[in-house]
Amino acid sequence: MAAFAQTSQKSIEGKVLSEESMQPADAATVRLLRHPDSTLIATTISDVNGFFEFRDIKPGKYFIAINKVGYNRFYTLQYVVADGTGKIKTPDVKLVPLNYQLKEVKVTAKKNFIEVRPDKTVINVEKSIVSAGNNMLDVLRNAPGIKVSGEEVLYKGGQKALIAINGKVTQLTGEQLAELLKSYNSSMVSSVELIANPSAKYDAAGGGLINIVLKKNRDLGWRIGVVQAASVGENYRFTSTVNLNYRAKKVNLFGSYVFTASEVPRFWDVDRLITIGQNTSDYKMRYKGTTRLKNYTFNTGADWTVSPKQNIGFIVHGYATPADIDKRNTTNIAYNGVPDSVITTNSGIDRNIYNLNYNLNYKGTFGSDDQHVLSADLDYSDYDRRSDENLRNDFFNPAGTQVRDPLFFQVTSPADINVYSGKIDYTRVLSKESSVEAGIKLSKVNSDNRIDFNEQVDGSYQLVPNLTDHFVYKERIEAGYINYNTKIGSTDVSAGLRAEQTHADRTSFNPNRRADTSYFNLFPSIQLIRGVGDEHQFTLSYNRRIARPNYQDLNPFVAYIDPYAFSTGNPFLKPQYVNYFELADTYLIKFKAALSFSVTNDFYTTIYEQNNATGVYTTTKSNVANRHVYGLEITTPFDITPWWQINNYIELSHSRYFYKDAGAVNKHAYDFLIQMNQAFSITEKFKAEVNANYETPTYFGIKNYREQYYFSAGLSHVIMRDQGTIRLAMSDIFNTQIDRYDTRFLNLNMRGREKPGTRFVTVTFSYRFGNNSLKAARKRTGGSGDEVSRMGGSTNDN
């Protein structure tokens, strides 16, 4: 069968839809093939409206193949282009989800571990054996281009990442990021999307977007999935997950429960030299912390299809995390090379965190051609933390004899944070090649924190005034955006502008200090995608973004390590601003190379403020520099044989730091990183995986880092009539995943070593039963993700 049309230009165009929602299917790969030998003529990607087009086609017979991850491949009719043929418009293509296949039909389409697209890179976590049984913080450590420094997730030139779960923004950093990501097991995750240039629709926070996509189910009926994982090594971890989903014609009910128990150590060694005149003091700190925690996470909700084009849903998400933290620290002090004294600090912390999040959401499509889309979210989050610590300091001479009475402290530090948020988004399809998006968002945060620091004096505890405080933080952000998508010739254009007005009031009552700030910012973004020939797609992008401090980064409370080491927040810490440029070439929708340049103003990082006279040093954060980064990234997945695939990621960068302090010397450094993932299909049901990571010595913030390398491997086998899978994996096989650094910043002469527990042998068993193809709970993007994540909470879908 052949199709003809008459206009002045030889072209074929069409639109791709998703069958289950009848919404445009963007980022579908569309290939023009010659009939009958299937020779590839041209390749393109459907735009945000689902449109695709091939221009300047030579006379001949053609057909089109369309595929998108999670959907069946689609082939069109034969189209004949003759001398008199003009524009050919194909009927709308409706992609059918893979799981709609009849039970007797076997799906053999292969989903690669890494998928490269012009606007993002997709990591299919469920394809990774090594990731099985791990939490998402550990999974991100092995994602290409992602660095986990301590417990901070960095992306695009070492910027703090903007993180979303199912498109719901959660700007996370530090310990709070770890709390949230550790509550998500890899068995709950389908893929991770790495987006260097997120549109104006997303919050302007963070440098680049990491979107964690949770697994979804399709079709009517019910399904239950169970995953059990146990790890031994440094020391142990256990996770039990149950996912449930039931869908009737108009109602979808879903829920999940995750229980985690773990005991993981952390080692931290610091050596400091302080020279005053001819005298040198040497402080050697040896710290070991062991965290024993249990985490109870639940997620429940429902979607109601009011009409074929309107949906209402709600989610209640929460977790409780009781933790017992045991800290052991020894500090050896020497003067001019002669041992002088030893101080031991032992501490036990009893901590309980409770978090509840509520989301009400709506989405509707209007108009005869579905050209209007309206969505809204209302969110409320309540975060409550209670922490009680008992400290003891003992003082010894070099011979081990106690030289004075011990010091005893009791520390109580409650925190209560409430977040209110609402947002409305509207999309208008203007034509087959253009659309406009607009939206508004309002969020409000109230954070109330106390610390009571008591010292034992004559058998009773008394407040220590200079370590006791009450900190209140209030923030309101009003935001609006507009984003325009169109096609000019063969170039796809997406341009947007986001405006954010921030009001922040920071009050510390001891001493009485207040920082009342208000600032307005515009955040432009633009992305151009142009196909060149049949094989290349070039992408040119720019965006401006902001990284606001976490609430706890602003909290001036003092955390006690030993009499010579403290950590504290900085209530006067300012946000940093990033301008990011990138030029990328995607070759054959598989290989990618990207050149980038970023400028960060008011760059902030962890620093150490040292008093040479007393020997005391304090860990805090400060706006220390302006930072420039030039980068090159290369992604190269290869099929060595039909059973052996290699995915390589290479990153080369050059950083320059222009410090604000007159006494600091400007620095520059190179960095080279390579990550290699190898997958082996030994048999149809038996597979293996090997991961290798290497990074050269480099410099970041104020630290010189030594090289780092580590390896992981795993095996998997499908069992129980393809309904179950058992996996065996070992992470950090040689126990080499260590941060080693030194710094000579200002008056510092310090060397450090940090080693979390990373070597584990993990056994994971997963089993699913019920209807194996349910229709998914609708993805939703509530409004409070950014604010909740900065306090350590979560409102994510499951």
Side-chain angles (χ1 to χ4, degrees), residues 11 51 71 102 166 193 199 228 308 339 383 528 589 599 749 789:
S11 65
F51 290 104
Y71 294 86
L102 298 176
N166 279 354
E193 299 175 338
S199 73
Q228 306 293 320
Y383 175 89
L528 309 175
I589 317 296
V599 177
N749 184 353
S789 67

Side-chain angles (χ1 to χ4, degrees), residues 6-26:
Q6 291 286 337
T7 61
S8 59
Q9 187 182 40
K10 298 181 180 66
S11 65
I12 300 177
E13 63 180 37
K15 184 177 182 179
V16 186
L17 304 175
S18 170
E19 185 185 75
E20 74 269 39
S21 65
M22 296 306 292
Q23 295 296 312
D26 67 323

